[in-house]
Amino acid sequence: MQHWDIHLQDPPSENEDNQKKKSLRQKISQSKLGTVLKFNKTPRLIIQDFEGLLEYSSIQSGDSLLSINKHVIDPRTTTAQDARSFMNECVEKEGVLNIVTENPHGEDVLINVTVIKPRRDMNYNELGLVVWNWPYLCVRQINEGSIFEHTPIQEMDQIAAINDIDCSKMRTKAFAQCVLELPVELTITLIRRKHRYTGSFK
């Protein structure tokens, strides 16, 4: 496998974070706005920097790390160093590395799923990710044994890009060609929109 590396940052300590936000939270919680806003109290590891194969991905410095090979990463039990070591274990033992990040400032969930193809010549059918246009390019099915099987990709997720190639007007045949021609590292950027009434992302 080609060279890759990633640098993670532990979230601020609870005391430090609370000192900065306590005053603001108190003001908002007492206002009408506070009744509709829900603060995410779950801390996240932060992507500081990356190099090698990951430079071809859509991961950006400042993104929150959500999961590695479908294992949710909780900084309350996993440090930045632990998470980095776990990435190495996934590559060595499973041969696949799935890194899921989130832009905390997005209104809809924007997910980057990064996988490493076991073989450079792996084609679309072997990928095990079935896509279709309905009407935009989206996930139709994830086959059993797919390298995407252990990622949080869900049916009907919209595929916004693959390795920064815009998929907004892409057809399924063009997507299959991209999979074949792109290098071993694949990053699929997905948009998961909130339900209009429930606010759920599922």
Side-chain angles (χ1 to χ4, degrees), residues 71-191:
H71 294 275
V72 176
I73 302 302
D74 186 345
R76 292 171 292 190
T77 56
T78 305
T79 65
Q81 184 176 355
D82 292 337
R84 181 61 182 81
S85 299
F86 182 57
M87 290 182 187
N88 282 335
E89 292 180 14
C90 290
V91 172
E92 294 173 2
K93 296 180 181 179
E94 301 179 27
V96 175
L97 177 61
N98 306 316
I99 301 173
V100 179
T101 65
E102 179 185 41
N103 178 349
H105 303 294
E107 293 183 1
D108 295 325
V109 171
L110 184 65
I111 303 173
N112 288 322
V113 176
T114 300
V115 299
I116 306 297
K117 294 193 294 186
R119 303 191 328 275
R120 181 177 290 273
D121 62 347
M122 175 177 276
N123 60 37
Y124 168 71
N125 292 330
E126 294 172 319
L127 192 68
L129 180 69
V130 182
V131 303
W132 63 340
N133 295 99
W134 196 66
Y136 45 77
L137 189 69
C138 60
V139 178
R140 182 173 188 175
Q141 180 179 325
I142 302 173
N143 294 334
E144 184 177 355
S146 167
I147 63 174
F148 287 98
E149 188 177 18
H150 300 293
T151 71
I153 291 180
Q154 298 178 7
E155 293 180 5
M156 301 313 300
D157 281 349
Q158 179 182 345
I159 300 176
I162 177 170
N163 286 37
D164 282 337
I165 300 173
D166 185 10
C167 294
S168 60
K169 298 181 180 180
M170 184 177 290
R171 310 301 294 180
T172 55
K173 289 184 178 180
F175 182 83
Q177 189 65 28
C178 282
V179 169
L180 182 61
E181 295 182 358
L182 288 173
V184 293
E185 182 275 337
L186 292 178
T187 292
I188 296 181
T189 303
L190 304 156
I191 298 175

Side-chain angles (χ1 to χ4, degrees), residues 11-19:
S13 64
E14 185 175 353
N15 290 336
E16 178 184 351
D17 190 53
N18 285 343
Q19 287 177 355

Side-chain angles (χ1 to χ4, degrees), residues 26-113:
Q26 286 178 339
K27 292 179 181 179
I28 295 179
S29 63
Q30 294 171 0
S31 68
K32 293 182 179 179
L33 181 62
T35 62
V36 295
L37 285 179
K38 292 183 179 180
F39 293 105
N40 183 7
K41 298 182 180 181
T42 304
R44 297 291 182 190
L45 296 180
I46 304 300
I47 308 293
Q48 274 190 316
D49 196 11
F50 47 89
E51 58 186 66
L53 285 173
L54 296 181
E55 293 180 9
Y56 295 96
S57 72
S58 298
I59 295 173
Q60 296 183 5
S61 297
D63 282 359
S64 302
L65 178 64
L66 299 186
S67 67
I68 302 171
N69 282 33
K70 217 171 184 178
H71 294 275
V72 176
I73 302 302
D74 186 345
R76 292 171 292 190
T77 56
T78 305
T79 65
Q81 184 176 355
D82 292 337
R84 181 61 182 81
S85 299
F86 182 57
M87 290 182 187
N88 282 335
E89 292 180 14
C90 290
V91 172
E92 294 173 2
K93 296 180 181 179
E94 301 179 27
V96 175
L97 177 61
N98 306 316
I99 301 173
V100 179
T101 65
E102 179 185 41
N103 178 349
H105 303 294
E107 293 183 1
D108 295 325
V109 171
L110 184 65
I111 303 173
N112 288 322
V113 176

